Amino acid sequence: AQSVTQLDSQVPVFEEAPVELRCNYSSSVSVYLFWYVQYPNQGLQLLLKYLSGSTLVESINGFEAEFNKSQTSFHLRKPSVHISDTAEYFCAVSDRRANNLFFGTGTRLTVIP
Amino acid sequence: DTAVSQTPKYLVTQMGNDKSIKCEQNLGHDTMYWYKQDSKKFLKIMFSYNNKELIINETVPNRFSPKSPDKAHLNLHINSLELGDSAVYFCASSQVVLGGETQYFGPGTRLLVL
């Protein structure tokens, strides 16, 4: 079975400051890793995912995440946040056979002007 | 235009009632899912269907019955609603059932059981 831990339930950060949202997972099998974002009153959207290859993956809006197998982590970073990044961010894993996502409890990112 | 749509958006009902939530995707995907998001924002998968066949049923009470009339639709019927069923229910779809596929989520249905 898989599980995901997002230690920070809320992260306030000033506009244009850097941010890191932490994600750790546990699994007895190889997994795929995802970050989804949920804007207020909307469904989730994929931000980025790690399947294989380079351990650093990037999104189109400046976020990046690095897969660290030894630390079983997949932390999300952005060097300079914007007001529009305010949202709930969910880390998730799925095993390689089936696409059932196991989510963390989410991190609420609030960007302060 | 909407890739994954759900109706209704809001649902307020009394305990003991039976209700349905509809989901449709126009992406041509083979696999559809239902997730439940509780009041603490925790998301948990409930069901997964691939080509109209049940793939995953994650310890959901049998009061919840998904129905897939065709590949583009996965409806959720809930019998004898309980207070604990109050949550946001999200439908999602992916091209195939294999791990790693991006899932596309609907806007959610907010269910409140009184």
Side-chain angles (χ1 to χ4, degrees), chain B residues 53-73:
Chain B
E53 290 188 16
L54 180 66
I55 302 295
I56 296 168
N57 179 347
E58 287 283 335
T59 59
V60 176
N62 55 16
R63 297 183 296 104
F64 290 81
S65 53
K67 296 276 192 306
S68 184
D70 55 60
K71 213 170 70 164
H73 296 84

Side-chain angles (χ1 to χ4, degrees), chain A residues 46-57:
Chain A
L46 179 72
L47 192 59
L48 46 75
K49 64 182 178 182
Y50 171 77
L51 302 183
S52 65
S54 172
T55 55
L56 185 66
V57 290

Side-chain angles (χ1 to χ4, degrees), chain A residues 32 34 36 38 41-44 46 49 51 88 90 94-105, chain B residues 9 33 35 37 40-43 45 56 58 90 94 96-103 105-107 110:
Chain A
Y32 296 123
F34 306 79
Y36 278 83
Q38 185 179 25
N41 298 315
Q42 293 186 29
L44 282 77
L46 179 72
K49 64 182 178 182
L51 302 183
E88 193 88 26
F90 292 93
S94 75
D95 67 40
R96 299 202 165 197
R97 292 173 298 119
N99 208 21
N100 43 325
L101 290 172
F102 293 90
F103 285 91
T105 48
Chain B
K9 194 171 181 180
Y33 313 80
Y35 288 87
Q37 186 176 46
K40 295 184 179 179
K41 297 271 186 174
F42 182 59
L43 266 160
I45 189 164
I56 296 168
E58 287 283 335
F90 287 100
S94 66
V96 293
V97 73
L98 295 174
E101 285 291 315
T102 299
Q103 293 188 23
F105 285 77
R110 292 181 181 275

